[in-house]
Amino acid sequence: MKSAVETLNPTRVRLSIEVPFEELKDSLDAAYKKINQQVTVKGFRKGKIPARVIDQRFGRGAVLEEAVNDALPKFYTEAVNEAELNVLGQPEVDITELRDGETLNFTAEVDIRPEIEIPDYSGIEVEVDAIEVSDEDVDKSVEQLRERFASTSPVERAAEDGDVVTIDLEAKVDGEVLEDGVASGVSYTIGSGELLEGIDEAVKGLEAGGEATFTSELKGGSAEGKEAEVTVKVTQVAARELPGLDDEFAQLASEFDTLDELKADSRKRLENMKQYDQATQAQERVLEKLLELVEVPVPEKLLEDEVKTRKHNLEHHQLGQMGLDLEKYLEIQGKTVEEFDAETAEQAVKGIKTQFVLDELVNKEKLNVNQEELTEHLMRRAQSSGMSPDQFAQAVVEGGQVPMLVGEVARGKALAVVVEAATVKDTNGEIVDLEDDEDESAAAGETVEADASAEAEDKNEA
């Protein structure tokens, strides 16, 4: 076999491959054997039909076609390996010449990973938010905890904001009561915004036994999106009572004995959350600066596939779980189809560039992923997916996604190397040392990389 490589552009090549006919012998033998098992000829046992008879009865062309289809992947792979190409996706193959008994010539156009020169990134400087937790932040956190431990008790007065009312509902469209438009004994907190628009105004001021009618657009059910006349009847009004803000509350709501201890713990938790956010912010901004320094050509076919994948996942997975279609989603977002397409393409380009650059850094820095790092990453991914680690691990293995996870961890480590070399300051002008919490920094790096790369993973395999 002979092969030659023609560079069409920085991300695409054409392979010209010439195969002497004798190198097709194994594929020809396999073709005759396959056809032998599929056909019957009177006078011959199944599987024992001579090649000349197959040629006469079914045509030499059918045999050649089967043999060539069998041989092409092997010769293409040999040519790719010989030229040491890092191919992306499937090739476009064109058989240019097939002379029986003489030669097989074909071309294969395929995208390749571009050569990337990583510049000196030690001069990167970014600014992140300072870690500041105010007394107001702590008070708000404690107040949210009090809300969780609130109790209710029936009252004989008109309903007010914050009260919990028990209500019966009946919805009519065009004067007809909907089959799925009747509900009894519904508990609703006034002001929560969890039911229908207009219900707060309707029930406020009503006592138990009171009734009101209002018009609202239905959010679900058989008449979703339609205007309905809704009758609401209040059967009970209950006031919410918050526990006192004292040591007794601290003992009720936590493992602490005093309110001061609870507040100190709340402050520490808020600081840890802001520290993680700060690490994530540093990773994101360093990545943006790094991408600005590197020229990364993006293969057109890869970008096209990436955009299609992102749209498919949004429409058929994310929006489906939310009960929305793309049209409704764009309406809520206030975007046109053109704006959505442009935004998706921009995100896809960033994801592909991120993967290319960080993969190059992995190679340049000779970074490896050990079992402990992979396990920690798997645990984090399982937690974010809502699955148990065992379930997530099984899904990853069955889906052949282990290389994807390894890639995410490796690229997260590569980004961490760049962040370590960069200068990170907070808004107070203080140098931020992300090494103070290596675990959170590493986790943030993997999260940022995974978000930026999105679905670009695994399209780099032929």
Side-chain angles (χ1 to χ4, degrees), residues 164-281:
V164 179
V165 290
T166 304
I167 55 177
D168 297 336
L169 294 165
E170 180 183 84
K172 294 180 180 179
V173 173
D174 298 330
E176 296 290 330
V177 178
L178 299 171
E179 288 187 11
D180 56 353
V182 178
S184 301
V186 177
S187 180
Y188 175 67
T189 302
I190 300 176
S192 66
E194 294 175 351
L195 281 178
L196 299 168
E197 186 175 343
I199 194 169
D200 289 339
E201 292 76 10
V203 298
K204 275 193 294 187
L206 295 181
E207 296 184 18
E211 188 175 297
T213 300
F214 64 100
T215 301
S216 183
E217 180 180 313
L218 298 178
K219 295 182 179 180
S222 61
E224 180 180 0
K226 292 184 178 180
E227 288 288 323
E229 183 182 86
V230 182
T231 300
V232 55
K233 180 178 181 180
V234 176
T235 59
Q236 178 181 277
V237 178
R240 298 178 75 250
E241 298 176 0
L242 296 176
L245 197 58
D246 49 27
D247 291 347
E248 186 177 341
F249 164 66
Q251 295 164 18
L252 169 70
S254 71
E255 69 271 30
F256 301 106
D257 294 326
T258 68
L259 182 61
D260 287 342
E261 290 175 332
L262 173 61
K263 286 187 174 182
D265 181 70
S266 295
R267 183 180 297 277
K268 182 62 178 176
R269 290 175 184 273
L270 290 172
E271 287 174 350
N272 289 341
M273 289 171 58
K274 287 181 178 288
Q275 189 171 33
Y276 180 85
D277 291 342
Q278 187 186 65
T280 301
Q281 194 176 64

Side-chain angles (χ1 to χ4, degrees), residues 50-233:
R52 59 180 175 76
V53 175
I54 291 177
D55 290 346
Q56 291 169 357
R57 290 292 187 94
F58 306 102
R60 173 72 166 175
V63 180
L64 289 175
E65 181 180 358
E66 181 68 38
V68 169
N69 287 339
D70 175 74
L72 282 179
K74 179 183 69 172
F75 292 119
Y76 164 73
T77 301
E78 287 181 10
V80 166
N81 293 338
E82 187 178 287
E84 297 181 343
L85 298 175
N86 199 336
V87 299
L88 301 165
Q90 298 298 320
E92 295 179 7
V93 177
D94 180 28
I95 299 174
T96 56
E97 186 177 24
L98 175 57
R99 286 183 290 175
D100 194 359
E102 295 183 35
T103 186
L104 163 67
N105 295 335
F106 69 96
T107 62
E109 286 191 20
V110 67
D111 287 332
I112 60 170
R113 185 179 289 264
E115 294 184 5
I116 299 173
E117 187 67 34
I118 302 295
D120 179 17
Y121 47 77
S122 60
I124 290 178
E125 295 186 9
V126 299
E127 184 181 73
V128 296
D129 295 336
I131 297 177
E132 296 175 344
V133 177
S134 66
D135 291 343
E136 289 76 13
D137 293 332
V138 175
D139 290 343
K140 183 179 179 181
S141 176
V142 173
E143 194 63 25
Q144 289 173 343
L145 188 60
R146 286 181 75 202
E147 291 282 347
R148 288 169 50 192
F149 283 85
S151 59
T152 59
S153 58
V155 292
E156 294 183 4
R157 60 166 172 78
E160 302 172 355
D161 268 329
D163 285 344
V164 179
V165 290
T166 304
I167 55 177
D168 297 336
L169 294 165
E170 180 183 84
K172 294 180 180 179
V173 173
D174 298 330
E176 296 290 330
V177 178
L178 299 171
E179 288 187 11
D180 56 353
V182 178
S184 301
V186 177
S187 180
Y188 175 67
T189 302
I190 300 176
S192 66
E194 294 175 351
L195 281 178
L196 299 168
E197 186 175 343
I199 194 169
D200 289 339
E201 292 76 10
V203 298
K204 275 193 294 187
L206 295 181
E207 296 184 18
E211 188 175 297
T213 300
F214 64 100
T215 301
S216 183
E217 180 180 313
L218 298 178
K219 295 182 179 180
S222 61
E224 180 180 0
K226 292 184 178 180
E227 288 288 323
E229 183 182 86
V230 182
T231 300
V232 55
K233 180 178 181 180

